[in-house]
Amino acid sequence: MNTNAPQTIEAQIRDQVAAYCESADVPGFVAGVYQAGEQIIVAHGTANVATGAPMLPDTGFLFGSVTKVLTTTLVLQQVERGVLDLDAPVTTYLPDFALAVPGAADKILVRHLIGHTNGIDADLYFPGDKGRDALAAYVKGLASGCGTLFEPGEQLSYSNGGMIVAGRLLEVVTGLSFPELLARDVYAPVGMTNSSTSAEQAILRSTAVGHFPDPETMEPKPTNMFTLPDTWGPAGGTPIGTIADLLAFGRTHLAGGLSPSGTRVLSAESTALMQRISFDMGSPNTPPIGLGWVLYPFGETTVLAMSGASPGGVSILCVVPEHDLVFTAYGNNPAAIMLQDQLLGWLLSEHLGVRIPKLVTELEQDVDLTPYVGTYRSNQLRVDVSIVDGQLEERVTYEPADASQEHIFTEFAGGATSAPPQRYVPIRPGLFAPEGYPLEAFDGYLRLLLVSFHDVRDGQTRFRNGGGRLTRRV
């Protein structure tokens, strides 16, 4: 950062955060920026409206899916040590790994787990097991309850299941539980001194809780569920820490695997491998994927990113190697993702001078909608696509597998598991924008709101892609 840059960034973020939180009823928000040896952290508002506890610079929060980059780091460490081979079948190390489709698990390689190309259809699979055997129970349940979306390596679909299987794989080859391994091989060498993996540990220090709008008053109300079950740990269910901790982790990946304290966490080769494109859908709403990282193109600049939802909260971690910058933030209301997108856009365009081209410049008329009409499914999710008044319309329905999973998902979603029908307007064949949004809304992180359709066969598409997740035509 140049002279006065830290103060300028801090003032800008503080003003932007205060204005947005007031207008969008986000109780609390905390953000941090590191660049070229300088670091600032801004905290605003309330960590828990039930207690009135303030959001402080060192308030802890749930990492959510940001954890996936930590899990990938653990996998690459074991590859470096010769314990794992990225191109070996998962069943080499985890012989009891199976899916509901006979033989399907045998084709999945270790790299498919952390590259979101495994095809495991388990994105909403929420078993509630607890304790040391939680991941073993998760993997066991896959064999009877979860099939496949596609052949491994054929497509890209954001995969919670793949990361959780990777977590169990790590337990088997190291002999440690996932929380123990995370603490030993990431938290400690990175210097994440305020990070933990359980509510029992988090309660010993200041920790934020998520909030949802009260259905009657629409005022922010604390979530009824602090964390997802232990079964979701490696995908982001349980790890908790601070902005300073995530900045330290981001700086480690900026520095080729060397932590701020000088401890070698990962080799430069492995760090670079995580940042290299391993699969590209070629669709604007789904950025290319590395290993662990999603590689967002902003013009000529690549942002390594991962966002994470937790019950009533959302986090984000962004690393910009070309500008030696790390940005991370957490807000304790799902609406905070819009603020995170705004802050990232400001940092890139105004602070760094990155020219961000328009992702969508115009809408195409007269697109044939018939190839997209039909029903698409993935684990416990149904999407019905139809043509209404000459427009594409989607109805998304949650179809719980059992009462336990329904309870967990309902709490995770804040009680609302259904949404009104959504109309979409064509950008071009196979790519659609939700009706009513200004086109510039999709230039940043919120390009995930676009919907795409892929793999046309006999005049019909096989896959729908929403938020980076695939559903398959049935």
Side-chain angles (χ1 to χ4, degrees), residues 352-370:
L352 298 177
V354 172
R355 193 182 77 81
I356 303 176
K358 296 295 181 185
L359 194 72
V360 181
T361 55
E362 59 184 357
L363 301 176
E364 188 171 329
Q365 306 297 320
D366 301 322
V367 171
D368 180 11
L369 304 181
T370 55

Side-chain angles (χ1 to χ4, degrees), residues 2-45:
N2 53 33
T3 306
N4 295 324
Q7 294 88 343
T8 302
I9 290 176
E10 184 172 354
Q12 173 66 29
I13 290 178
R14 196 173 297 281
D15 290 347
Q16 220 169 316
V17 168
Y20 184 89
C21 288
E22 182 177 351
S23 65
D25 283 332
V26 175
F29 193 87
V30 59
V33 177
Y34 165 87
Q35 188 184 19
E38 302 274 6
Q39 184 167 299
I40 61 102
I41 298 176
V42 171
H44 173 85

Side-chain angles (χ1 to χ4, degrees), residues 148-159:
T148 59
L149 285 167
F150 51 81
E151 289 290 308
E154 177 195 8
Q155 300 284 349
L156 171 67
S157 185
Y158 186 85
S159 177

Side-chain angles (χ1 to χ4, degrees), residues 58-77:
D58 63 350
T59 297
F61 55 89
L62 283 153
F63 291 162
S65 286
V66 170
T67 303
K68 290 180 172 68
V69 191
L70 281 66
T71 299
T72 303
T73 299
L74 289 171
V75 171
L76 268 295
Q77 287 175 341

